[in-house]
């Protein structure tokens, strides 16, 4: 996730027309985006479920199911992309990961 959000998203959001590109991309690829989002939620949910089963994270601490938490993580990361500038985007992504770690890691 970090590579994705700090690489691709940073470059797009730093451009003068970054917000337009994000908006146009979603509008033009709505169905593909919805299918991809569902796939990402499912995959991330599987990873979270495996981590919980291995005792690496505690989903009960946040009272969420793996799909619920996966959807929230992706939605939050999607919102972080609206932060302008490379350093600010990296800081926002880092904050998200620290919050998740603090809430979930045993």
């Amino acid at each position: 996730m970090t590579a994705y959000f700090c690489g691709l998203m940073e470059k797009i959001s730093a451009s003068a027309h970054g917000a337009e590109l994000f908006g146009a991309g979603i509008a033009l690829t709505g169905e593909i985006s919805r299918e991809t989002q569902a796939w990402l939620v499912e995959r991330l949910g599987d990873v979270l479920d495996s981590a919980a089963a291995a005792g690496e994270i505690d989903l009960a601490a946040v009272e969420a199911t793996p799909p619920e938490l996966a959807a929230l993580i992706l939605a939050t990361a999607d919102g972080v992309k609206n932060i302008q500038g490379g350093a600010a985007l990296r800081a926002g992504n880092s904050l998200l990961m620290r919050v998740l770690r603090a809430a979930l890691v045993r």
Side-chain angles (χ1 to χ4, degrees):
M1 280 182 62
T2 299
Y4 174 73
F5 288 109
C6 284
L8 175 65
M9 304 299 249
E10 179 179 314
K11 290 184 187 312
I12 294 171
S13 68
S15 77
H17 301 286
E20 292 175 61
L21 288 171
F22 286 125
I26 297 301
L28 293 172
T29 60
E31 185 61 30
I32 294 169
S33 294
R34 283 186 292 279
E35 289 174 7
T36 301
Q37 180 78 4
W39 182 85
L40 285 171
V41 167
E42 187 176 339
R43 295 293 80 74
L44 184 53
D46 291 345
V47 170
L48 292 168
D49 193 41
S50 295
E56 297 171 352
I57 62 172
D58 181 11
L59 292 173
V62 293
E63 299 177 16
T65 65
E68 291 170 336
L69 186 55
L72 179 62
I73 291 169
L74 292 172
T76 304
D78 186 58
V80 169
K81 77 178 183 212
N82 294 314
I83 298 172
Q84 296 297 313
L89 181 61
R90 281 191 300 279
N93 188 54
S94 179
L95 175 59
L96 171 60
M97 295 304 138
R98 289 193 314 271
V99 168
L100 291 170
R101 187 179 313 116
L104 296 171
V105 175
R106 293 178 180 238

